Amino acid sequence: MLWRDVIDLIPVVVTKNGYGEEVETDGIPRTVYANKKSVRQSEFYQALAAGMKPEIVFEVMVADYTEEPKVKYGDKYYRVIRTYSANGERIELVCSIYPMEE
């Protein structure tokens, strides 16, 4: 199978600010190969019923994914709302648009 797309997997790091409060910041992104896929109709309606709006699915190798909650593809950021692995080698990351405050 050809890996046609490149995405950045972005971990979230919890640190303490000057007031001792825990804050989440983006960690160092890791670039991996992926396949961009469409959201299946059944997936879309199930997620919508649960208050989520899936926009895109990325298929990556299981060995490349280490529970990163954010994905960057092109100039857009996404958050991973669900993962699915059917065969143990590949995993699908079901994502929705991530609101960026910056």
Side-chain angles (χ1 to χ4, degrees):
M1 167 177 276
L2 294 175
W3 297 97
R4 300 176 299 249
D5 302 289
V6 176
I7 62 173
D8 289 327
L9 298 173
I10 305 170
V12 170
V13 179
V14 178
T15 58
K16 292 194 178 199
N17 64 13
Y19 300 105
E21 302 167 327
E22 290 186 347
V23 292
E24 292 184 351
T25 57
D26 288 349
I28 299 170
R30 244 176 353 99
T31 302
V32 299
Y33 291 103
N35 287 318
K36 181 181 76 159
K37 301 169 82 176
S38 298
V39 176
R40 290 181 293 279
Q41 189 174 17
S42 61
E43 176 91 41
F44 178 81
Y45 288 112
Q46 286 174 349
L48 202 58
M52 296 180 276
K53 188 177 179 198
E55 306 272 345
I56 196 166
V57 175
F58 297 104
E59 180 183 50
V60 298
M61 296 300 291
V62 168
D64 289 337
Y65 182 65
T66 54
E67 306 291 323
E68 292 89 349
K70 296 181 184 179
V71 173
K72 182 181 180 203
Y73 176 66
D75 61 349
K76 293 184 180 176
Y77 288 84
Y78 300 90
R79 69 184 162 114
V80 178
I81 58 176
R82 189 176 89 75
T83 60
Y84 172 75
S85 179
N87 65 9
E89 290 182 18
R90 297 185 183 119
I91 189 167
E92 290 183 351
L93 312 177
V94 181
C95 302
S96 66
I97 290 287
Y98 190 85
M100 297 302 291
E101 292 80 27
E102 293 112 57

